[in-house]
C-alpha cells in the first residue's frame, strides 16, 4: 500500500516537472534570468564580442595614418628645402676640406653660382657659358672638362682659380670661334697646373679686358691663339699677365699685348708655331725673364713690336 502511494507521488512530481518545462512562462523566466545576469555584468553579448577585436585594429589604423602623415610631411620638407636651396642635389659644403663634388655640367653651374671650392669627381661635358661672379676654386682632380658650346666657356667677373697640379685638362672640341676664358676688368684668373686646349677655335684661349691673369708653373695653354691682353676701354684698366708656365699658339700670337703689361718669369715660355710669339704695341710693357720663340714656321718673329 505504501509502495503504491510512493509511486503515485513520484509520478505526480514528474508530471508537474514536465508541465513546468513545457510552459512558455518557464522559457520567459529563463530568458529574463539570462538578461538580468547580463545586465549585472554591464555588457551585452554583442558588446562583449565586438569590443575586444575593434580596439586593436582602430589603434593600428591610427598608427598607419600617423606614419603616412609623417612621410608626407617629410616629403614636403624636402621639396621646400630643394626649392629654396638649388644645391640640394650636391654633396659637400664648398670648403677645401669638404668641397662641392661635381659629376656633370648642371652640378658644375650650380656649384659655381654658390661659389667656394669645387672638385670634379669624373670627366664632365658642358655647353653654355659659366659666369664667375665671386671667388671660385675649381679642382680638376685629374679629370677633363670638355666644352663644345658656341660661346665663351667662362666669363670671369670675380676670381677663378683652376687647380690641376696633379693633372687635368679643359678642352674645347666645338667648331665655333669662342674663348675659353673671358676676363673683364674686375676679374682674376689663375691657372695652377693643367692643360688648356682650344685648337678647333680660331680665337684666343684667354681674352682679357683689363683683368689679372696668372699662368702658373706646370700650366700649358695650347690654342689657335694664346692670350689676348688688352685694356678695358670703359674703365681704362690695363690687363696684367704673369706667365710662369707655357703658352703655345698653333697659328700666331702666343700673346698679344695692347696697352697692358705682360711678365714672362724665369721658366715661363711663350711660343708660336705659325707666327709671332708676342705681338705688342700701344704703350705696352713686356718684361721677359723666360723664353719667347717661334717654332717650325719661317714666317713671323719671336717678338713683334708694332
Amino acid at each position: 500500500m505504501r509502495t503504491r502511494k510512493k509511486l503515485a507521488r513520484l509520478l505526480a512530481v514528474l508530471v508537474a516537472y514536465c508541465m513546468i518545462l513545457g510552459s512558455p512562462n518557464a522559457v520567459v523566466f529563463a530568458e529574463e534570468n539570462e538578461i538580468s545576469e547580463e545586465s549585472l555584468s554591464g555588457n551585452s553579448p554583442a558588446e562583449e564580442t565586438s569590443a575586444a577585436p575593434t580596439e586593436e585594429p582602430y589603434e593600428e589604423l591610427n598608427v598607419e595614418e600617423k606614419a603616412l602623415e609623417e612621410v608626407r610631411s617629410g616629403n614636403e620638407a624636402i621639396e621646400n628645402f630643394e626649392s629654396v636651396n638649388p644645391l640640394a642635389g650636391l654633396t659637400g659644403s664648398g670648403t677645401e676640406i669638404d668641397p662641392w663634388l661635381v659629376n656633370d655640367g648642371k652640378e658644375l653651374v650650380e656649384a659655381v653660382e654658390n661659389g667656394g671650392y669645387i672638385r670634379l669627381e669624373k670627366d664632365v661635358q658642358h655647353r653654355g657659358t659659366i659666369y664667375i661672379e665671386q671667388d671660385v676654386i675649381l679642382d680638376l682632380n685629374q679629370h677633363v672638362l670638355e666644352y663644345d658650346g658656341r660661346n665663351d666657356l667662362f666669363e670671369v667677373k670675380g676670381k677663378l682659380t683652376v687647380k690641376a697640379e696633379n693633372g687635368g685638362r679643359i678642352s674645347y672640341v666645338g667648331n665655333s670661334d669662342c674663348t675659353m676664358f673671358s676676363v673683364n676688368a674686375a676679374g682674376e684668373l689663375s691657372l695652377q697646373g693643367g692643360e688648356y686646349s682650344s685648337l678647333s677655335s680660331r680665337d684666343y684661349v684667354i681674352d682679357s679686358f683689363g683683368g689679372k691673369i696668372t699662368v702658373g708653373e706646370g700650366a700649358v695653354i695650347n690654342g689657335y691663339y694664346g692670350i689676348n691682353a688688352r685694356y678695358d676701354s670703359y674703365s681704362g684698366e690695363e690687363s696684367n699677365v704673369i706667365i710662369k708656365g707655357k703658352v703655345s699658339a698653333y697659328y700666331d700670337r702666343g700673346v698679344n699685348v695692347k696697352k697692358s703689361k705682360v711678365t714672362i718669369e724665369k721658366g715661363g715660355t711663350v711660343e708660336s708655331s705659325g707666327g709671332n710669339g708676342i705681338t705688342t704695341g700701344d704703350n705696352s710693357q713686356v718684361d721677359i725673364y723666360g723664353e719667347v720663340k717661334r717654332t717650325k714656321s719661317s714666317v713671323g718673329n719671336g717678338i713683334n713690336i708694332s
Side-chain angles (χ1 to χ4, degrees), residues 268-281:
T269 302
V270 175
E271 65 180 27
S272 173
S273 60
N276 300 309
I278 293 179
T279 299
T280 183

Side-chain angles (χ1 to χ4, degrees), residues 19-303:
M19 290 177 65
I20 292 172
L21 291 178
S23 172
N25 293 331
V27 176
V28 171
F29 177 76
E31 291 177 351
E32 288 177 353
N33 287 339
E34 291 177 359
I35 293 173
S36 63
E37 291 176 356
E38 292 161 4
S39 62
L40 289 174
S41 66
N43 295 316
S44 67
E47 290 175 342
E48 291 179 351
T49 304
S50 60
T54 54
E55 286 182 2
E56 189 172 350
Y58 181 77
E59 289 295 328
E60 290 179 357
L61 182 60
N62 287 340
V63 171
E64 291 175 0
E65 287 182 348
K66 184 177 180 181
L68 289 173
E69 182 62 30
E70 289 178 353
V71 170
R72 284 193 292 267
S73 299
N75 290 337
E76 289 177 1
I78 292 172
E79 291 173 0
N80 291 335
F81 175 73
E82 291 178 344
S83 66
V84 299
N85 185 357
L87 301 172
L90 293 174
T91 58
S93 60
T95 65
E96 185 173 0
I97 298 175
D98 186 27
W100 298 120
L101 304 181
V102 168
N103 295 280
D104 56 39
K106 181 180 178 182
E107 290 183 353
L108 176 59
V109 172
E110 292 176 346
V112 166
E113 288 176 352
N114 197 56
Y117 200 107
I118 302 167
R119 188 174 73 204
L120 298 188
E121 289 297 284
K122 62 181 182 180
D123 294 349
V124 172
Q125 292 182 332
H126 179 71
R127 58 172 49 193
T129 301
I130 300 174
Y131 298 92
I132 307 295
E133 298 182 346
Q134 51 191 319
D135 289 357
V136 172
I137 299 174
L138 175 59
D139 186 350
L140 297 182
N141 192 28
Q142 303 183 36
H143 292 295
V144 177
L145 172 57
E146 192 173 84
Y147 177 63
D148 65 351
R150 296 183 177 181
N151 299 309
D152 301 341
L153 173 54
F154 290 102
E155 185 172 319
V156 183
K157 299 179 181 180
K159 182 178 180 180
L160 172 61
T161 301
V162 182
K163 294 175 64 65
E165 293 94 338
N166 297 322
R169 184 173 80 251
I170 299 179
S171 179
Y172 178 69
V173 296
N175 296 314
S176 299
D177 296 336
C178 58
T179 297
M180 185 175 291
F181 302 98
S182 177
V183 187
N184 71 11
E188 296 183 33
L189 173 65
S190 177
L191 305 179
Q192 300 178 5
E195 181 181 353
Y196 308 88
S197 176
S198 183
L199 297 175
S200 61
S201 171
R202 290 178 295 181
D203 206 335
Y204 290 93
V205 178
I206 300 174
D207 195 1
S208 173
F209 298 85
K212 295 179 176 60
I213 313 296
T214 300
V215 180
E217 296 180 6
V220 178
I221 292 176
N222 288 310
Y224 196 82
Y225 301 106
I227 299 175
N228 192 21
R230 45 184 168 167
Y231 76 103
D232 179 32
S233 58
Y234 294 99
S235 66
E237 290 288 332
E238 297 179 348
S239 291
N240 191 338
V241 179
I242 298 174
I243 299 172
K244 302 177 182 179
K246 181 178 180 180
V247 179
S248 178
Y250 170 76
Y251 179 70
D252 191 11
R253 285 169 282 178
V255 176
N256 183 55
V257 190
K258 184 176 182 181
K259 290 185 179 180
S260 294
K261 180 180 179 180
V262 173
T263 301
I264 304 171
E265 296 193 354
K266 186 177 180 179
T269 302
V270 175
E271 65 180 27
S272 173
S273 60
N276 300 309
I278 293 179
T279 299
T280 183
D282 293 335
N283 299 316
S284 296
Q285 179 179 340
V286 178
D287 297 328
I288 302 174
Y289 304 98
E291 185 178 17
V292 178
K293 59 184 179 179
R294 172 178 51 84
T295 62
K296 298 182 180 180
S297 176
S298 59
V299 178
N301 304 284
I303 301 175

